[in-house]
């Protein structure tokens, strides 16, 4: 069963006996809502243009070198869920509370500004919204921006083969107020290592049509294969 809808887990809980032998592939991979990492597979969330499959403008890449990335951290998005509300309370950019190094917006005038800021930032904040997954993780990777994961109970995609600690920063929800201090504490050497690894893993988060080796579809099928070996159906 494959679904990227926020409510996908509720489908299988409606009739547990019917779904008892399913392997679920879900974007909403929330372990507190019944996601089972040893049996279910986490699906990266990404934007696709309506009616199209394959790489899209939203999967466009930025290859700005670190020397051109003058913003420490960036986020723009709606106030969906308690984690984002906490983020806005501490860091939302307005006339009274603006830090040029941590730029957090609820809305930007257009997509071009959004992608330009991603390409000019060292770190891109990826807080959970109403559900744990966010397409900003894939967007950040495509733009060479090191993702900063702010979530709880999120089972990350492809964790059986990708060491997310090597190309992302995880910030506990309770430490949102310390974001700038945490990110400034990442040494330049460590940041450059993560930047290069972000570029290296990008191919795993692109949906191609037809599929290409090591792309998102191949990675999902590999995740399924591993679980099929581990689970007797």
């Amino acid at each position: 069963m494959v679904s990227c809808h926020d409510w996908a887990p509720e489908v299988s809980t409606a009739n547990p006996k019917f779904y008892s032998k399913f392997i679920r592939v879900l974007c909403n991979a929330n372990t507190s809502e019944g996601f089972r990492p040893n049996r279910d597979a986490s699906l990266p969330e990404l934007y696709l243009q309506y009616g199209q499959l394959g790489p899209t403008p939203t999967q466009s890449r930025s290859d700005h070198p670190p020397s051109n990335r003058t913003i420490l951290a960036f986020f723009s998005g709606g106030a969906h869920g308690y984690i984002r509300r906490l983020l806005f309370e501490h860091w939302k950019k307005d006339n009274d509370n603006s830090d040029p190094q941590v730029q957090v917006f609820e809305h930007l005038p257009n997509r071009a500004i959004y992608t330009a800021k991603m390409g000019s930032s060292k770190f891109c904040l990826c807080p959970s919204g109403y559900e744990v997954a966010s397409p900003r993780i894939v967007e950040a990777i495509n733009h060479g921006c090191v993702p900063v994961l702010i979530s709880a109970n999120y089972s990350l995609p492809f964790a059986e083969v990708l060491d997310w600690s090597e190309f992302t920063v995880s910030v506990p929800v309770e430490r949102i107020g310390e974001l700038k201090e945490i990110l400034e504490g990442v040494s330049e050497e460590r940041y450059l290592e993560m930047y290069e690894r972000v570029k290296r893993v990008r191919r795993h988060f692109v949906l191609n049509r037809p599929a290409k080796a090591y792309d998102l579809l191949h990675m999902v099928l590999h995740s399924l294969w591993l679980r099929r070996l581990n689970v007797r159906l």
Side-chain angles (χ1 to χ4, degrees):
M1 172 185 167
V2 182
S3 179
C4 207
H5 198 285
D6 289 351
W7 298 345
E10 297 184 19
V11 174
S12 50
T13 58
N15 190 338
K17 184 177 179 181
F18 179 75
Y19 288 97
S20 63
K21 296 188 182 301
F22 273 53
I23 295 176
R24 300 178 302 170
V25 184
L26 307 176
C27 286
N28 185 18
N30 189 335
T31 57
S32 71
E33 295 179 359
F35 184 86
R36 306 157 298 180
N38 63 326
R39 185 186 188 103
D40 301 325
S42 180
L43 179 66
E45 186 169 336
L46 69 160
Y47 288 120
L48 292 175
Q49 284 187 318
Y50 180 76
Q52 296 185 21
L53 289 174
T56 70
T58 57
Q59 288 182 267
S60 60
R61 292 184 173 183
S62 297
D63 284 308
H64 298 307
S67 58
N68 289 355
R69 296 178 180 268
T70 56
I71 302 170
L72 177 65
F74 164 71
F75 172 79
S76 177
H80 304 152
Y82 80 99
I83 292 178
R84 293 192 187 182
R85 288 195 293 271
L86 281 174
L87 180 67
F88 287 148
E89 285 176 15
H90 286 281
W91 298 106
K92 184 176 178 181
K93 194 171 178 65
D94 55 36
N95 292 331
D96 299 322
N97 181 23
S98 59
D99 188 319
Q101 286 300 297
V102 181
Q103 298 193 15
V104 174
F105 302 88
E106 190 166 357
H107 299 289
L108 286 172
N110 58 62
R111 184 79 189 181
I113 296 175
Y114 179 84
T115 55
K117 284 190 175 292
M118 270 200 161
S120 301
S121 301
K122 289 184 173 181
F123 299 95
C124 287
L125 307 180
C126 304
S128 294
Y130 289 132
E131 302 298 345
V132 290
S134 168
R136 280 164 187 78
I137 297 174
V138 175
E139 287 183 317
I141 290 171
N142 285 333
H143 288 282
C145 188
V146 175
V148 178
L149 309 178
I150 311 173
S151 62
N153 307 308
Y154 182 28
S155 184
L156 291 162
F158 317 141
E160 60 272 5
V161 290
L162 296 182
D163 184 351
W164 283 78
S165 68
E166 293 297 311
F167 59 94
T168 67
V169 176
S170 291
V171 175
V173 175
E174 60 271 18
R175 298 189 65 189
I176 283 179
E178 305 170 52
L179 262 174
K180 185 175 182 180
E181 180 183 351
I182 291 170
L183 297 180
E184 286 183 333
V186 177
S187 69
E188 184 68 10
E189 180 182 8
R190 174 63 173 160
Y191 163 71
L192 292 175
E193 289 175 352
M194 287 192 291
Y195 170 78
E196 291 298 329
R197 287 170 181 148
V198 163
K199 292 197 298 180
R200 201 177 305 159
V201 302
R202 282 195 297 201
R203 62 177 177 165
H204 303 313
F205 296 92
V206 175
L207 181 62
N208 295 298
R209 184 68 80 186
K212 297 180 180 179
Y214 305 107
D215 72 357
L216 187 145
L217 183 56
H218 280 227
M219 295 293 285
V220 170
L221 291 174
H222 182 258
S223 293
L224 279 172
W225 174 72
L226 288 176
R227 282 154 181 79
R228 182 63 184 85
L229 291 177
N230 292 334
V231 178
R232 183 176 181 180
L233 298 181

